[in-house]
Amino acid sequence: MSLTLSKKAQAVKPSSTLAITARAKELKLQGIDVVGFGAGEPDFNTPDNINDAAIKAIHDGFTKYTPASGTIELKEAICKKFKIFNKLNYTTDQIVISNGGKHSLTNIFEAILNPGDEVIIPAPFWLSYPEIVKLADGIPVIIRAEKSQNYKVTAEQIAAACTDKTKAFILNSPNNPTGMIYTKEELEAIAKVIIEKDIYVISDEIYEYLVYGENEHVSIGALNDEIFKRTITCSGLSKSYAMTGWRIGYTGSSKEIAKLMSSIQSHQTSNPNSIAQKAATEALNGPQETVYIMNMEFNNRREYMMKRIGAMPYVDAITPLGAFYLFVDTGEVLKKEYKGKAIETTARLAEILIDDYNVAVVPCGDFGFDDHIRLSYAISIEQIEKGLDRIENLLKTL
């Protein structure tokens, strides 16, 4: 056939994190003992009270269409959570519930972008941001936050990147892949630029509950009324409640943008899964002990990994303050040889680790940093110990 397929679709890069995870699962099915550091999801089961709410929804026959942007019941629970935890005052007509965080982001960019609009994305970034922007006919503009900046961009960098085509800036705190958190003072400086340039800030706060020690999560939209007007807050249930497969994300925005997103979603997916919405309502309204239990366990793993990485040759990492990832600088490793051949790239390093050491890691070229790898600690401490032993064994051979 000579029919031409979508050039936009052909330009989309496949997710390297999903590819790594799939490769690890494939090897495990072959009986190979693989340690997978690629996971972007908690290794905990969804809490029983949430599962029970879903089962009840099925038995009660809550299996029909819901309003396109989600049920009022869940929207009220989200508004309550926004007010108490994030200090954000949204009403139910400002909430759009979607089929996961990625879907929420897709809705956002389809609602606000016109062809050629620019979106500023700080690197390191979650690898899907540029692809979602491009699919919505936007142009990603990447600004780099160096290691010396704790991988956080400054207000001055954002201001310098703005043009008359700039429509939005993506803020991700706590950050994937670095685990870094923007302080209130840093957010105030960024908010000033957003207001002065009169652009939107898309605040992706999916890891908001996964913050460690004395660190605090601050929602940029809560700083003042002017930044609130320009903020689209995006979050979900996947990370904090171990509900990755349930696919519930949500946004808080102006009523105008919420109405557009609801309209878009009504044509693309009809509505979020009805049963998952009942489960999500219970997650937000029910007991929160499991959230804190998971947080404590992630913190223990984080501390163990930092201690181990700190003792290894050729690699180092800045202590993550949130999320569940370690962003490891492997620049010195790439200068080494393995079996007489230069390593050179993190893609090659990842290949060596999975083929010869049965360890899956995520090379971060697709995250905007081609000399780093990402290690997830959303796996058991036993798996972490085993995997780090294998990584250390490789490093000692170089």
Side-chain angles (χ1 to χ4, degrees):
M1 294 178 67
S2 59
L3 296 176
T4 303
L5 300 178
S6 166
K7 292 180 181 178
K8 186 194 295 186
Q10 290 173 336
V12 173
K13 294 180 183 178
S15 170
S16 58
T17 55
L18 294 181
I20 288 290
T21 302
R23 173 72 172 139
K25 287 180 178 177
E26 177 187 333
L27 292 173
K28 286 180 181 179
L29 288 174
Q30 296 173 18
I32 298 172
D33 179 23
V34 175
V35 175
F37 283 112
E41 63 179 348
D43 56 317
F44 301 95
N45 290 328
T46 303
D48 289 341
N49 64 305
I50 300 173
N51 293 332
D52 290 342
I55 293 167
K56 185 177 186 301
I58 293 171
H59 288 309
D60 289 348
F62 194 74
T63 55
K64 310 295 184 183
Y65 291 128
T66 73
S69 58
T71 64
I72 286 294
E73 179 187 36
L74 180 51
K75 288 184 179 185
E76 288 174 345
I78 291 168
C79 287
K80 180 181 175 183
K81 174 262 176 186
F82 266 141
K83 185 170 185 177
I84 294 172
F85 182 79
N86 305 89
K87 308 297 187 290
L88 296 167
N89 291 310
Y90 288 113
T91 53
T92 56
D93 53 358
Q94 294 178 282
I95 306 299
V96 175
I97 301 155
S98 64
N99 300 286
K102 282 185 181 180
H103 188 205
S104 290
L105 289 163
T106 299
N107 283 341
I108 290 168
F109 291 117
E110 289 188 346
I112 70 171
L113 295 182
N114 290 304
D117 283 349
E118 296 175 350
V119 178
I120 299 172
I121 305 174
F125 50 77
W126 178 49
L127 79 174
S128 290
Y129 289 144
E131 304 308 314
I132 294 172
V133 167
K134 287 187 284 187
L135 282 170
D137 293 323
I139 299 173
V141 175
I142 309 302
I143 55 176
R144 184 179 172 95
E146 300 296 342
K147 186 178 180 180
S148 59
Q149 301 170 234
N150 287 336
Y151 306 112
K152 293 187 286 186
V153 294
T154 64
E156 291 76 16
Q157 284 180 285
I158 299 167
C162 285
T163 70
D164 58 0
K165 294 183 179 179
T166 304
K167 180 62 71 71
F169 166 72
I170 297 179
L171 173 69
N172 179 211
S173 177
N175 179 267
N176 172 12
T178 68
M180 293 297 107
I181 295 173
Y182 284 81
T183 65
K184 183 178 180 182
E185 292 71 27
E186 290 166 338
L187 292 176
E188 286 173 339
I190 291 171
K192 186 177 179 182
V193 172
I194 300 299
I195 295 166
E196 288 176 351
K197 299 296 183 180
D198 197 22
I199 62 176
Y200 291 112
V201 55
I202 288 83
S203 185
D204 184 353
E205 305 182 18
I206 194 74
Y207 295 98
E208 59 196 346
Y209 283 111
L210 298 175
V211 173
Y212 309 112
E214 298 300 315
N215 298 289
E216 179 187 11
H217 172 72
V218 177
S219 294
I220 191 170
L223 295 178
N224 59 62
D225 289 342
E226 287 303 309
I227 192 63
F228 179 73
K229 295 174 187 175
R230 295 166 174 82
T231 301
I232 305 170
T233 310
C234 182
S235 193
L237 284 292
S238 292
K239 313 299 182 181
S240 301
Y241 295 92
M243 292 179 68
T244 50
W246 297 80
R247 310 313 302 137
I248 292 292
Y250 57 85
T251 55
S253 65
S254 69
K255 293 177 184 179
E256 181 184 18
I257 292 174
K259 186 176 180 180
L260 290 176
M261 289 193 288
S262 177
S263 179
I264 291 166
Q265 183 163 292
S266 72
H267 289 290
Q268 291 185 333
T269 66
S270 291
N271 62 267
N273 180 285
S274 61
I275 300 158
Q277 288 188 74
K278 282 290 188 181
T281 303
E282 171 60 24
L284 293 173
N285 287 341
Q288 302 296 304
E289 286 87 350
T290 55
V291 174
Y292 302 109
I293 290 170
M294 284 191 284
N295 184 293
M296 287 188 291
E297 180 57 30
F298 284 135
N299 186 45
N300 291 337
R301 298 172 187 179
R302 175 186 73 121
E303 292 177 348
Y304 174 77
M305 287 188 74
M306 281 304 302
K307 183 178 179 181
R308 288 292 307 275
I309 291 292
M312 292 183 191
Y314 313 126
V315 295
D316 67 270
I318 296 175
T319 302
L321 307 180
F324 42 61
Y325 306 109
L326 210 61
F327 194 53
V328 182
D329 185 345
T330 58
E332 291 301 312
V333 179
L334 304 187
K335 299 174 184 177
K336 304 294 180 180
E337 291 188 350
Y338 178 72
K339 294 183 177 179
K341 185 178 178 181
I343 297 175
E344 293 186 336
T345 69
T346 51
R348 173 61 182 148
L349 174 60
E351 188 178 77
I352 292 167
L353 282 168
I354 198 163
D355 288 344
D356 294 359
Y357 290 84
N358 298 333
V359 178
V361 302
V362 176
C364 288
D366 287 344
F367 291 73
F369 267 65
D370 55 12
D371 57 356
H372 284 58
I373 62 173
R374 190 190 77 176
L375 304 179
S376 168
Y377 47 93
I379 58 175
S380 71
I381 194 71
E382 292 79 15
Q383 286 290 295
I384 290 171
E385 183 177 1
K386 185 191 296 185
L388 291 180
D389 285 346
R390 294 174 182 179
I391 291 173
E392 188 170 24
N393 288 340
L394 166 63
L395 296 177
K396 286 179 177 178
T397 69
L398 303 178

